[in-house]
Amino acid sequence: MKCPNCGSLNDKVVDTRQSKDGTVIRRRRECLDCGFRFTTYERYEEEKIVVKKKNGTTEPFSKDKIVRGIRLASKKQTRF
Ligand SMILES: [Zn+2]
Protein backbone atom coordinates (compact mmCIF):
# COMPACT_ATOMS: atom_id res chain seq x y z
CA MET A 1 0.00 0.00 0.00
CA LYS A 2 1.39 3.39 -0.98
CA CYS A 3 2.34 5.57 1.96
CA PRO A 4 0.19 8.74 2.03
CA ASN A 5 3.08 10.66 3.54
CA CYS A 6 6.13 9.80 1.40
CA GLY A 7 4.71 7.60 -1.40
CA SER A 8 6.86 4.59 -0.50
CA LEU A 9 5.46 1.13 -1.25
CA ASN A 10 7.31 -0.46 1.67
CA ASP A 11 4.98 -0.92 4.59
CA LYS A 12 4.12 -3.46 7.23
CA VAL A 13 0.80 -4.31 8.86
CA VAL A 14 1.04 -3.64 12.58
CA ASP A 15 -2.55 -4.49 13.52
CA THR A 16 -5.49 -6.26 11.86
CA ARG A 17 -9.00 -5.98 13.21
CA GLN A 18 -12.33 -7.28 12.00
CA SER A 19 -15.51 -5.24 12.29
CA LYS A 20 -18.27 -6.56 14.54
CA ASP A 21 -20.27 -8.05 11.67
CA GLY A 22 -17.14 -9.43 10.03
CA THR A 23 -17.61 -7.69 6.68
CA VAL A 24 -14.76 -5.21 7.00
CA ILE A 25 -11.12 -5.76 7.93
CA ARG A 26 -9.26 -2.76 9.27
CA ARG A 27 -5.48 -2.77 8.99
CA ARG A 28 -3.07 -0.47 10.77
CA ARG A 29 -0.01 -0.02 8.59
CA GLU A 30 3.35 1.54 9.17
CA CYS A 31 5.60 2.89 6.44
CA LEU A 32 9.05 1.30 6.65
CA ASP A 33 10.71 4.35 5.08
CA CYS A 34 9.27 7.28 7.06
CA GLY A 35 7.44 5.58 9.95
CA PHE A 36 4.10 7.16 9.04
CA ARG A 37 1.09 5.18 10.30
CA PHE A 38 -2.10 4.87 8.32
CA THR A 39 -5.21 2.69 8.15
CA THR A 40 -6.67 0.69 5.29
CA TYR A 41 -10.02 -1.05 5.06
CA GLU A 42 -10.67 -4.28 3.24
CA ARG A 43 -14.18 -5.21 2.15
CA TYR A 44 -16.06 -7.19 -0.47
CA GLU A 45 -15.99 -5.93 -3.98
CA GLU A 46 -19.36 -4.86 -5.33
CA GLU A 47 -20.16 -7.79 -7.59
CA LYS A 48 -23.19 -6.64 -9.48
CA ILE A 49 -22.37 -3.71 -11.68
CA VAL A 50 -25.32 -2.82 -13.84
CA VAL A 51 -24.98 -0.77 -16.98
CA LYS A 52 -27.80 1.53 -17.97
CA LYS A 53 -28.25 1.63 -21.69
CA LYS A 54 -29.40 4.56 -23.81
CA ASN A 55 -32.90 3.13 -24.30
CA GLY A 56 -33.41 2.96 -20.53
CA THR A 57 -32.91 -0.75 -20.05
CA THR A 58 -30.25 -2.15 -17.75
CA GLU A 59 -27.98 -5.13 -18.18
CA PRO A 60 -25.14 -6.68 -16.17
CA PHE A 61 -21.75 -5.11 -16.73
CA SER A 62 -19.66 -6.99 -19.26
CA LYS A 63 -15.96 -6.38 -19.66
CA ASP A 64 -15.99 -8.06 -23.05
CA LYS A 65 -18.52 -5.59 -24.39
CA ILE A 66 -16.45 -2.63 -23.27
CA VAL A 67 -13.33 -4.08 -24.87
CA ARG A 68 -15.27 -4.74 -28.07
CA GLY A 69 -16.61 -1.18 -27.99
CA ILE A 70 -13.15 0.28 -27.60
CA ARG A 71 -11.84 -1.86 -30.46
CA LEU A 72 -14.70 -0.70 -32.68
CA ALA A 73 -14.08 2.92 -31.77
CA SER A 74 -10.36 2.72 -32.52
CA LYS A 75 -11.10 0.95 -35.81
CA LYS A 76 -13.32 3.83 -36.86
CA GLN A 77 -10.63 6.35 -35.99
CA THR A 78 -7.96 4.71 -38.14
CA ARG A 79 -10.26 4.44 -41.15
CA PHE A 80 -9.30 7.67 -42.92
ZN1 LIG B 1 6.24 6.85 4.19
Side-chain angles (χ1 to χ4, degrees):
M1 188 64 69
K2 196 172 180 175
C3 170
N5 189 47
C6 73
S8 165
L9 291 173
N10 300 313
D11 71 304
K12 65 171 181 182
V13 176
V14 289
D15 189 29
T16 302
R17 260 175 225 179
Q18 204 171 97
S19 69
K20 273 180 195 162
D21 59 359
T23 58
V24 182
I25 303 277
R26 180 179 172 273
R27 293 188 205 279
R28 249 345 240 164
R29 293 170 179 273
E30 188 180 315
C31 175
L32 295 176
D33 287 332
C34 74
F36 187 77
R37 288 196 166 197
F38 54 105
T39 308
T40 56
Y41 294 91
E42 186 178 308
R43 64 180 75 229
Y44 300 122
E45 189 175 359
E46 202 65 56
E47 275 174 31
K48 276 187 188 168
I49 302 175
V50 176
V51 178
K52 195 164 189 183
K53 301 191 78 177
K54 272 180 194 166
N55 60 14
T57 61
T58 54
E59 63 174 56
F61 174 77
S62 160
K63 218 181 218 174
D64 289 349
K65 268 186 191 164
I66 302 250
V67 170
R68 227 178 292 150
I70 291 168
R71 284 213 187 112
L72 269 176
S74 54
K75 219 185 244 177
K76 272 178 199 159
Q77 276 185 340
T78 49
R79 203 186 289 156
F80 280 111

